Every structure is written in structure tokens, then in C-alpha cells.
Amino acid sequence: MRYLAPGSLKEALDILRREDDARCIAGGATLVAMMNADLVAVDVLVGLGRIAELSGITETDDEVRIGAMTRHAEIAASPVLTGALGVVRSAAGQIAHPAVRNMGTIGGSICHADPAADFPAALLAADATIEAASAEGTRQIPIGEFFEDYFETALREGEIVTAIRLPRGPAGARGHHVKFSRVDGDYATVSVSAVLVMAGATCSYARIALGSSGPVPIRVTAAEEALVGSPLDQAAIAEAARLLAEAADPVDDVRGTTEYRLMLIPRLLARALNTLKDGETASV
Ligand SMILES: Cc1cc2nc3c(=O)[nH]c(=O)nc-3n(C[C@H](O)[C@H](O)[C@H](O)COP(=O)(O)OP(=O)(O)OC[C@H]3O[C@@H](n4cnc5c(N)ncnc54)[C@H](O)[C@@H]3O)c2cc1C
């Protein structure tokens, strides 16, 4: 195996075009474990760590741009991810434990496309766009089209995810991510990501996404419509949860049975919405 460490995005894309069996390595948290377990074999590893264009969080009036190589810990501590984008910050802070948060990157997380990961649902609720580059140019992939199946994305051969672009969301919005896991630091058995606007006691905007509930993160427009115009009372939350559970297709695995996961959905939805409604995430 050869390890190459390009210093620019152009150089990295040229290597991917040139080499038959080349694979990017970001934080290595997942890929190295898979290589150690003989689950993947790689001829050429392309380290992305020296490419400055892929790191850091920048903002404009309209959006926040997170470079693909930005570590979970930096995202979890970012003062820029407020309001609706608190959902992404909140998800980052709940990934695994500090060692993994200091190692893993948001690009690596979404490219691995583990349906139990925290970012996919949070990015869906935040209406993210994924920026991908290849030797042919750059394209923007709406988050709803990025995750295609278990561990499969819309990324094409030779493409590198360069950034995650987040629109600021509506005025007054707040976002939050909740997860249930067997033990602290584990992947989610089920997770819920929510972005809300409250106009007085009434919900005027809702974006809800479910994680660990099927091959890809799930958003159900009818569930959001059941919340908008309501005071987020028990009846509205129960109806939204019913619609979300209907769309879910959770597996039966070591983290929980299908039935158990379906049971968690209304509870986690209520927890996320009540936290946002009560304003407990205002400083997050
Ligand atoms: C013990 C442990 C616990 C964990 N718990 C959680 C958890 O609770 N929640 C959670 O969400 N995640 C969890 N993770 C996963 C963690 O978030 C990893 O950071 C993430 O899965 C992979 O990120 P990485 O940067 O290490 O990617 P890598 O391991 O380097 O790469 C992963 C894959 O993505 C590809 N890739 C990486 N970057 C790019 C790019 N920019 N463009 C194209 N392809 C790319 C690689 O080729 C590889 O196929 C856990 C991991 C471990 C080891």
C-alpha cells in the first residue's frame, strides 16, 4: 500500500483520476478500523490532512460553510453554528467521545454514510448542500439526494467532498439533536434532529429528521405540517410521531429491535421539541 499526502485539492483530484484503486483518508476513525479488520483493502491511500481548502468553518450573511476536513470537536465548539444551525453543533457534540471527536471529520462521517451516525439527520434538518469536487469540476448535491442506501452515497468515482454548506434558516429558528444510545458514547439506537420557529406559543416552522431508523435519514413533510400551527401539544407531537414512524424502516440489531426503535421515535421527538419550545438550547 502507498500513502500519498497531497498539499492541494487539485493534486488530490489528479491522484484519484490517475490511480485505479485510490481511496481518501480523512480522520481515519472508521477507515483504519475497517482496514485493521480486513473489511477493506486499499492500494493507494490519499491523505486529505494537508489540504488547507478542506478545513475550517467560514460564514457569509446567507450561509455557513464547513470544510470537509473539519473535526467533530471544532464543530461542537463553533460559535458560528447558532439558531437553526444549532442542530449540527448539537449533533457533533454527541458523537462518540472526545477521542473520536478530535479525530473524525464531518466529510468522513457523511461519506461513510453509516445510517446510525449523527450528522446525516442533523444535516437533513438543516437543509444542507454537499459540495463535491472532481477533476471535471465542482457540483452541489442537496442533502436529500446525497444518502442513497446503507453506506452508499451519490458521490461518484474520483469525487471528494469539499464542504458542507448550511443556509442560515429562518429568523428565530433554533435547532437541536437528541439521540438514544445503549451507553454513553455509542452510536444512536434512534436519533431525532429538529429545527423550529415558535411565534409566541405557536409553532410556525418545523424541520424534523430521523436517524438510525432506516437506510438513510428520513424527513416527512406531513409530520412537519402536523406541527406547524400547533402549540406543540401532545396531540400534535403524537400525530407527527405517528407519521414519522410510518415512514421509518429500522433494523433489528444489537442496538435495539425494530419494535423498540419504533417505540423510541415519539419519545425522542417529544424530547427534542420540548427542549426547543422551552428555549433550553438558546445558548447552545
Ligand atoms: C469508537 C467509535 C465510535 C463512534 N461513534 C459515533 C457516533 O456516536 N456517532 C457518529 O456519528 N459517528 C460515530 N463514529 C464515527 C466517527 O464519527 C468517524 O469520524 C466517521 O465515521 C468517519 O470520519 P473520518 O474523518 O474518521 O473518516 P475516515 O475514516 O478517514 O473515512 C471514512 C470514509 O469516508 C471516505 N472519505 C473521507 N473523507 C472524504 C471526503 N472528503 N471525500 C470523499 N470521501 C471521503 C473515506 O475514503 C472512507 O471511505 C464513531 C467511530 C468510532 C471509531
Side-chain angles (χ1 to χ4, degrees):
M1 186 186 76
R2 279 181 298 145
Y3 177 74
L4 303 176
S8 72
L9 180 61
K10 183 181 177 314
E11 212 185 312
L13 294 171
D14 284 345
I15 295 170
L16 291 184
R17 181 162 60 174
R18 195 174 69 222
E19 301 284 347
D20 271 348
D21 185 19
R23 189 156 178 166
C24 295
I25 181 160
T30 299
L31 187 55
V32 171
M34 288 170 74
M35 288 163 69
N36 283 342
D38 266 343
L39 290 171
V40 290
V42 183
D43 282 347
V44 182
L45 264 185
V46 184
L48 302 180
R50 291 182 54 228
I51 306 176
E53 301 117 281
L54 299 182
S55 290
I57 304 175
T58 52
E59 60 176 330
T60 62
D61 285 349
D62 300 332
E63 69 171 25
V64 171
R65 186 178 187 278
I66 305 180
M69 282 297 288
T70 311
R71 314 271 162 185
H72 308 331
E74 187 182 342
I75 296 170
S78 172
V80 162
L81 297 171
T82 54
L85 305 188
V87 70
V88 177
R89 178 174 161 167
S90 162
Q94 293 177 62
I95 293 174
H97 42 74
V100 171
R101 292 199 290 274
N102 283 325
M103 195 175 173
T105 66
I106 189 167
S109 174
I110 64 168
C111 290
H112 184 55
D114 187 332
D118 291 283
F119 278 133
L123 295 179
L124 186 59
D127 217 5
T129 298
I130 309 305
E131 188 180 280
S134 70
E136 280 71 50
T138 300
R139 67 182 178 120
Q140 312 293 328
I141 310 168
I143 189 72
E145 296 167 21
F146 185 77
F147 299 105
E148 294 191 331
D149 207 340
Y150 291 102
F151 305 100
E152 275 184 31
T153 69
L155 219 55
R156 298 178 190 141
E157 187 104 0
E159 274 187 324
I160 291 178
V161 167
T162 47
I164 290 81
R165 298 174 53 196
L166 304 169
R168 288 203 181 271
R174 279 202 298 260
H176 190 50
H177 175 82
V178 296
K179 71 191 270 189
F180 179 88
S181 44
R182 294 171 304 170
V183 291
D184 201 30
D186 193 12
Y187 282 89
T189 305
V190 171
S191 66
V192 172
S193 296
V195 176
L196 281 191
V197 178
M198 294 301 290
T202 305
C203 172
S204 61
Y205 175 94
R207 281 285 181 285
I208 311 293
L210 275 181
S212 296
S213 302
V216 298
I218 296 166
R219 209 189 126 199
V220 179
T221 315
E224 294 163 357
E225 286 167 358
L227 298 171
V228 173
S230 83
L232 297 184
D233 53 353
Q234 255 186 346
I237 295 177
E239 176 58 5
R242 187 187 68 74
L243 292 162
L244 284 166
E246 232 173 59
D249 183 19
V251 289
D252 213 326
D253 72 5
V254 65
R255 294 196 176 88
T257 60
T258 300
E259 194 188 0
Y260 185 61
R261 286 182 150 100
L262 291 174
M263 213 178 74
L264 284 172
I265 292 171
R267 287 162 175 79
L268 291 182
L269 179 66
R271 195 181 296 171
L273 296 180
N274 287 329
T275 304
L276 287 169
K277 187 175 147 187
D278 297 342
E280 285 170 26
T281 62
S283 61
V284 172

